[in-house]
Amino acid sequence: MDTFAALSQGVMVALQPMNLLFAFVGVMLGTAVGVLPGIGPALTVALLLPITFKLDPAGSLIMFAGIYYGGMYGGSTASILLNTPGESASIVTALEGNKMARAGRGGPALATAAIGSFVAGTIATIGLALIAPTIVDLAISFGPEDYFALMVLAFTTVSAAFGSSVTRGLTSLFIGLSLGLIGIDLQSGQARLSFGVPDLLDGVEVTTLAVALFAIGETLSVVAAGARADEIIEPVKGSVFMNREDWKRSWKPWLRGTFLGFPIGAMPAGGAEIPTFLSYALEKRLCRKPGEFGNGAIEGVAGPEAANNAAAAGVLVPLLTLGLPTSATAAIMLAGFQQYGMNPGPLLFATNPDLVWGLIASLFIANGMLLVLNLPLVGLWVRLLAIPRPWLYGGILVFATLGTLGANPSLVELGMLLVFGLLGYVLRRYDYPIAPVVVGLILGPLAEQQLRRALAISVGDPLVLFQSPVALTLYVLSALALFGPLLFYVITGRKAPVGADED
């Protein structure tokens, strides 16, 4: 199907009244939760995942798109007004945005963040729509050995990208792979690691694991950290709109941030952190008033915020076309697909084109809704920032528990929620990344299935895994992801970070 014809069909799906309502609810919920202090997009999406369980697949994923983009925008509001970034990609926004808010220019800072997010999100979504069919056409020719190599690449890049060292990332990954073994073996029909508990025969629910690790684990981590100093919310003084000079200084950083964020976000292990820091460094170098950087330069908000949101759309390229989550948020979105028995990848474009293109089209709609709604409602978001932390995290615990029980009412499920929540706290306590655990649970069974399929076709010959040029290329990329940083330090003679060589 032609790309523009498919996208037009997706727009028709996204413009259905109920789907517009789902997008609106997703945007409002995503922003309302994402704006809360210390809560990033990954926790926002994990917390709201159980809400979508009873919806139809199209409505659920369209609401997810709104939650995803709303969470991104809400995070920038907390960074600017409270100097509390909910994720590492928002750190750069806080550097200049909070200084602008302290100087009484919080309104223009929020405006350039919102408009930059809209510009970047729109351009990046167009890029997603244009690039996705090409990657799908390439991936359809993959054999089982190629898919297995692709899963290995996903495992290594996620392990290398998250956490303070590759070893910690791999440890978290193997926890997730081990959890993925629980349940009935699809080929032999034998129960594995179920310990006689009937509820475990279907395996560990990804929704339960994601909510436990991100919501329960984060809450326990905050409580264990003890009392902290009161945070000062900077009031929004004056107009929330930008003047002519602000527009003149913002439009080029928006475009530069977009073209930095989208391609890096679309790469395996690209993420949003690298383009935001690159954008900040680039704007500081190109700024005509470099002395303002560190004191509230609007370019330091416009560029990184555009890069962050463009990278968020770029992350959807490998997720939708190959089924590879390259960020914590993408891993939870993959869980959203799987709760309806769907696996993102090239076959999804063939079997559910209306759903996929409706999701892509809804990204444009969610972007527009965010721009129209969020600046007039900035007073409401400021009030949400004032919620006391004990109430906030107590509410998160209640909401996460009720949401999980609503999706799967079972005492075993509740027990797993608490156990995995404690696991999330322990991982955070000892600086182990969370995302590889979720990725291991989701992709582990798929990798096992492709491995066994490849071995069955070759009558048990393991060399079949290395005979495909595509598979060999993917294995080389996997090795570079694991050992590339070490080679870099060896070649340049630099000393590796402490976390990297102590393991």
Side-chain angles (χ1 to χ4, degrees), residues 183-400:
I184 294 177
D185 183 345
L186 295 178
Q187 288 197 349
S188 67
Q190 295 294 315
R192 300 190 301 193
L193 302 177
S194 63
F195 306 105
V197 180
D199 295 74
L200 293 179
L201 292 176
D202 290 331
V204 175
E205 286 288 338
V206 179
T207 308
T208 303
L209 181 71
V211 171
L213 291 179
F214 285 97
I216 309 293
E218 175 68 18
T219 301
L220 295 177
S221 180
V222 169
V223 171
R228 61 180 73 189
D230 291 338
E231 292 161 328
I232 300 172
I233 304 172
E234 299 297 338
V236 180
K237 302 172 184 175
S239 172
V240 296
F241 298 104
M242 300 190 299
N243 58 34
R244 187 173 182 178
E245 177 68 14
D246 293 332
W247 280 93
K248 187 177 178 181
R249 294 177 61 180
S250 293
W251 72 270
K252 288 182 181 178
W254 290 338
L255 295 178
R256 285 192 289 260
T258 301
F259 291 107
L260 274 175
F262 179 71
I264 295 177
M267 296 176 187
E273 293 83 1
I274 296 173
T276 53
F277 280 97
L278 286 177
S279 175
Y280 183 82
L282 179 63
E283 297 309 324
K284 187 173 183 178
R285 182 180 293 270
L286 297 177
C287 183
R288 295 180 180 178
K289 302 177 181 178
E292 287 190 13
F293 270 80
N295 299 299
I298 196 168
E299 295 91 340
V301 178
E305 199 56 32
N308 188 13
N309 281 269
V315 161
L316 296 178
V317 174
L319 177 66
L320 293 178
T321 59
L322 301 173
L324 295 183
T326 57
S327 71
T329 313
I332 302 167
M333 292 188 72
L334 183 56
F337 278 93
Q338 289 203 330
Q339 74 180 1
Y340 292 103
M342 295 183 294
N343 289 313
L347 293 180
L348 191 63
F349 279 77
T351 57
N352 292 283
D354 288 350
L355 187 148
V356 177
W357 288 104
L359 172 63
I360 293 173
S362 71
L363 296 175
F364 291 105
I365 295 171
N367 241 340
M369 286 181 173
L370 279 169
L371 185 65
V372 172
L373 293 173
N374 278 323
L375 286 179
L377 292 176
V378 68
L380 172 62
W381 310 138
V382 172
R383 291 189 186 95
L384 288 176
L385 283 171
I387 295 176
R389 278 187 180 265
W391 294 12
L392 170 62
Y393 285 99
I396 288 175
L397 279 177
V398 172
F399 194 84

Side-chain angles (χ1 to χ4, degrees), residues 3 33 36 40 53 103 125 139 169 204 274 328-329 333 503:
T3 299
V33 178
L36 298 173
F53 187 71
T125 306
V204 175
I274 296 173
T329 313
M333 292 188 72
D503 293 327

Side-chain angles (χ1 to χ4, degrees), residues 159 166-177 427 432-433 436-437:
S159 301
V166 174
T167 308
R168 286 192 170 98
L170 288 173
T171 303
S172 295
L173 174 68
F174 279 110
I175 293 174
L177 292 175
L427 290 175
Y432 283 83
V437 182

Side-chain angles (χ1 to χ4, degrees), residues 19-99:
N19 289 339
L20 284 174
L21 177 62
F22 287 141
F24 174 78
V25 172
V27 164
M28 294 298 290
L29 284 175
T31 308
V33 178
V35 78
L36 298 173
I39 297 180
L43 177 52
T44 301
V45 176
L47 200 57
L48 298 176
L49 177 63
I51 291 179
T52 64
F53 187 71
K54 297 295 183 182
L55 302 178
D56 66 281
S60 168
L61 294 173
I62 286 172
M63 183 184 285
F64 241 60
I67 291 171
Y68 183 44
Y69 273 12
M72 299 292 292
Y73 179 82
S76 69
T77 304
S79 297
I80 291 169
L81 298 182
L82 198 59
N83 199 24
T84 307
E87 56 166 352
S88 54
S90 299
I91 292 174
V92 180
T93 303
L95 291 177
E96 301 298 329
N98 189 251
K99 294 286 175 59

